[in-house]
Amino acid sequence: MAIVRWSYMIDWIALPPLSALRAFAALAERRSVTKAGEQLNVSHAAVSQQIRTLETHLGLSLVDRSGRQLELTPEGCQLAEALTEGFGTIFRTIQMLTGADAARPLQISTTQLFASTWLMPRLLDFQTKHPGIDLMVNPTAEISDPAPGGVDLCLRFGDGNWPGLEAEMLVPADIVITAAPSLVGECGEIEPADLLQFPWLQELGTNESMDWLRSHGVTEGCVKSLTHVPGNLMLEGARAGQGVISTAMSSVEADVKAGRLRVLFRDAGETGYHIVTRPGILRPPAKAFLQWLRRQGKEAAALAEA
């Protein structure tokens, strides 16, 4: 049996009654005593009594009753935020443990570029082998954390260090600066500062290109132009000679081999795309997808070495 250890001791006796906390959370969500009562299947008078009980217990005013419309006090807003997060986590975890979310689509979060160049071309294989699992792929540059009832699994680029989450390498990949020969020609050795004379393309929601320049000593001056575009359009633009890009080598290998893009700089390291999950037990669809990803990663590595 697992033993739960708290980072601090909870004084259970000091906590307000759970029924009062539930009533206040419902009131904060619906902003109506009547609607909160309907949600909890109790009368609006019972909700009002629970709120007053909670305020008495805490010695604080949680609801501003001076106006015609119900408003929360600053203290009430703080408590409402904590209760929404806490009750939400409890609800989602219970759904996961009891299998109530078994029919919920498997949610995958990754970048647009990785989704279009690596994941999507392979998804037919997963769908063929697991026809009963519905997928929801969210291609975004925004970093989402896996959470019960939400994103099941993330595919992130980096060094694998995301505190509080579990990460395993899927596709090792160096960072490369690349552009079409039509843009940069067949020039020989160049310095990072020489890249300021070219236009750049950068994935929406990121600052990878400018971060790369600064990390290579280019702290003064500006690039000729900087255009922010979705990840898949960034790659299309690079092929068309519209700008220099910073990306993972795995995303442009085919283009480099075909001569559509030239690698100008390559930073080797321990970076790559990782499978990122929360600690604990994954629900069955996520387990199936994880195992499939591992096989795909091994096959991709074998092809790269061939």
Side-chain angles (χ1 to χ4, degrees):
M1 178 182 295
I3 299 175
V4 178
R5 292 183 173 85
W6 303 95
S7 57
Y8 53 87
M9 295 299 294
I10 296 178
D11 186 350
W12 299 102
I13 302 300
L15 283 176
L18 178 60
S19 57
L21 293 173
R22 290 175 64 240
F24 179 71
L27 176 69
E29 179 183 341
R30 305 305 298 271
R31 296 302 171 106
S32 164
V33 174
T34 301
K35 291 180 179 179
E38 293 173 354
Q39 191 170 16
L40 296 172
N41 198 27
V42 298
S43 68
H44 69 274
V47 173
S48 296
Q49 181 58 45
Q50 291 287 4
I51 301 303
R52 293 189 183 279
T53 297
L54 181 59
E55 290 178 319
T56 300
H57 184 100
L58 297 176
L60 296 169
S61 293
L62 302 175
V63 180
D64 183 354
R65 301 174 176 85
S66 61
R68 297 180 60 183
Q69 189 173 0
L70 185 147
E71 297 289 344
L72 302 183
T73 65
E75 293 81 7
C77 289
Q78 283 186 277
L79 181 59
E81 184 177 349
L83 291 176
T84 298
E85 181 178 352
F87 282 134
T89 299
I90 292 170
F91 176 75
R92 291 190 297 267
T93 302
I94 289 175
Q95 279 195 312
M96 181 186 68
L97 293 174
T98 59
D101 66 346
R104 181 172 61 86
L106 181 65
Q107 295 192 44
I108 312 299
S109 176
T110 187
T111 64
Q112 292 176 331
L113 188 57
F114 190 72
S116 62
T117 61
W118 196 93
L119 183 60
M120 292 305 297
R122 293 172 167 82
L123 269 188
L124 179 60
D125 180 74
F126 178 81
Q127 293 164 335
T128 300
K129 293 175 179 175
H130 303 276
I133 299 179
D134 294 332
L135 292 177
M136 184 182 296
V137 179
N138 181 21
T140 175
E142 296 181 7
I143 295 179
S144 301
D145 285 341
V151 174
D152 292 281
L153 184 148
C154 299
L155 300 174
R156 290 186 187 171
F157 184 84
D159 60 4
N161 182 26
W162 293 285
L165 299 173
E166 296 180 351
E168 64 175 277
M169 182 70 81
L170 173 63
V171 182
D174 299 340
I175 291 288
V176 294
I177 303 301
T178 183
S182 61
L183 176 67
V184 297
E186 298 297 331
C187 55
E189 291 188 10
I190 60 174
E191 298 295 327
D194 296 332
L195 297 177
L196 294 179
Q197 64 182 299
F198 299 108
W200 281 67
L201 301 173
Q202 184 166 272
E203 186 170 6
L204 277 171
T206 73
N207 202 36
E208 294 175 353
S209 300
M210 299 305 99
D211 287 343
W212 184 90
L213 285 170
R214 282 191 290 271
S215 69
H216 287 72
V218 185
T219 57
E220 297 182 1
C222 300
V223 297
K224 184 176 181 180
S225 66
L226 179 62
T227 304
H228 297 262
V229 294
N232 57 329
L233 297 183
M234 181 182 76
L235 188 54
E236 289 295 330
R239 291 168 181 154
Q242 296 173 4
V244 178
I245 65 171
S246 170
T247 189
M249 184 62 191
S250 59
S251 298
V252 294
E253 270 181 319
D255 291 286
V256 172
K257 289 180 180 178
R260 291 186 293 268
L261 293 174
R262 280 191 57 203
V263 173
L264 305 176
F265 293 93
R266 182 167 184 163
D267 294 348
E270 299 300 320
T271 55
Y273 284 93
H274 293 75
I275 304 170
V276 182
T277 57
R278 62 184 178 274
I281 300 173
L282 296 176
R283 60 195 186 107
K287 285 183 180 178
F289 193 75
L290 177 61
Q291 293 170 354
W292 176 80
L293 279 174
R294 287 169 175 160
R295 289 194 296 270
Q296 293 297 315
K298 290 179 180 178
E299 290 177 9
L303 286 175
E305 292 175 358

